């Protein structure tokens, strides 16, 4: 069955929520994936949104365009403040956080601040928002992005959201003793982070993606094991759920 890259990312992200009790999800793919997980294999999942909505019941076809829009508060269990949400993360209540990024390096550091030198950037990006807090405080982190060579760089121009910093124990040594980066999901494969180096490692490749393509679209030497399994493709049932949640392809048209 055919599917778009964004539908693929959504299904694979939803699968990662099988063991989660709470997920800090932004709008877009993370929110659709969280709704999908709750409707399929994780019915007790609590969705937490940066604007303060706790466990909303988002109406299919009426997805919010921001974390502060009223549609994200539909039949929520609680409407808290943004500071309360980050306090919940700081206190260890949020199992899983999901973010994307303009640049990602081999140790999972994410840049959404500037491209080029900070003092004189060639492009200024939206900035952190809550991404730094999510990556620093949630128990497990998943990065979700399209796989492009310009995004996957040896070293990000600015560390907006810390992954494993310089690798090894550098994240913990910097004082980030809580939480860890577990997965990177792209339209080509699923990646983890090697122990003890914390360098990016290919865990599976998606149907149709080749190892040569993955290497060519990665701006550094990603670790590739001798045997790389093939990712299970989205099923027709999974795609039906995704398309019901976002029937107008508001988030998933690509």
């Amino acid at each position: 069955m055919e599917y778009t890259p964004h539908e693929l990312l959504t299904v694979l992200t939803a699968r990662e929520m099988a063991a989660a009790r709470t997920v800090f999800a932004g709008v877009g793919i993370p929110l659709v994936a969280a709704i999908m997980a709750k409707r399929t294999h994780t019915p007790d999942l609590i969705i937490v949104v940066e604007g303060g909505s706790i466990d909303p019941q988002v109406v299919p076809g009426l997805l919010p365009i921001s974390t502060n829009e009223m549609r994200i508060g539909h039949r929520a269990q609680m409407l808290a403040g943004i500071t309360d949400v980050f306090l919940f993360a700081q206190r260890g209540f949020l199992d899983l956080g999901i973010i994307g990024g303009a640049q990602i390096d081999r140790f999972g550091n994410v840049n959404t601040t500037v491209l080029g030198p900070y003092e004189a950037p060639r492009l200024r990006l939206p900035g952190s928002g809550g991404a730094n807090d999510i990556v620093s405080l949630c128990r497990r982190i998943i990065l979700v992005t399209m796989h492009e060579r310009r995004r996957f760089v040896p070293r990000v121009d600015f560390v907006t959201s810390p992954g494993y910093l310089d690798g090894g124990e550098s994240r913990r040594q910097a004082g980030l003793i809580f939480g860890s980066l577990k997965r990177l999901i792209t339209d080509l494969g699923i990646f983890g982070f090697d122990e003890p180096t914390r360098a990016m490692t290919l865990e599976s490749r998606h149907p149709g993606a080749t190892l040569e393509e993955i290497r060519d679209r990665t701006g550094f030497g990603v670790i590739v094991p001798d045997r790389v399994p093939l990712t299970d493709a989205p099923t027709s049932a999974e795609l039906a759920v995704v398309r019901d949640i976002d029937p107008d392809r508001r988030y998933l048209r690509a």
Side-chain angles (χ1 to χ4, degrees), residues 96-119:
L96 183 64
I98 308 169
I99 69 167
Q103 283 186 330
I104 300 171
D105 67 25
R106 64 193 297 259
F107 294 122
N109 300 303
V110 176
N111 173 23
T112 54
T113 302
V114 294
L115 296 182
Y118 182 79
E119 296 77 11

Side-chain angles (χ1 to χ4, degrees), residues 127-142:
S128 172
N132 181 288
D133 303 78
I134 293 170
V135 167
S136 299
L137 300 174
C138 291
R139 293 180 182 275
R140 294 186 296 126
I141 307 301
I142 297 175

Side-chain angles (χ1 to χ4, degrees), residues 27 29 53 56 73 76-77 119 143 156-157 188 213 215 229 231 240 242:
V27 296
I29 287 175
S53 182
Q77 294 294 318
E119 296 77 11
L143 306 179
V156 293
D157 294 339
L188 295 184
E213 184 181 14
R215 289 190 176 102
T231 308
V242 170

Side-chain angles (χ1 to χ4, degrees), residues 173-190:
Q173 290 167 357
L176 296 171
I177 60 175
F178 194 74
S180 61
L181 194 59
K182 290 298 184 183
R183 293 285 185 280
L184 165 66
I185 301 173
T186 79
D187 55 316
L188 295 184
I190 297 176

Side-chain angles (χ1 to χ4, degrees), residues 21-41:
R21 295 182 60 190
T22 53
V23 57
F24 199 143
V27 296
I29 287 175
L31 179 60
V32 178
I35 297 169
M36 176 187 174
K38 189 158 184 164
R39 287 179 56 173
T40 54
H41 52 70

Side-chain angles (χ1 to χ4, degrees), residues 12 22 29 44 65 83-84 105 113 126 132 158 174 188 200 250:
L12 298 181
T22 53
I29 287 175
D44 295 329
I65 60 174
T83 53
D84 295 312
D105 67 25
T113 302
N132 181 288
F158 186 93
L188 295 184
M200 193 179 294
R250 192 172 193 175

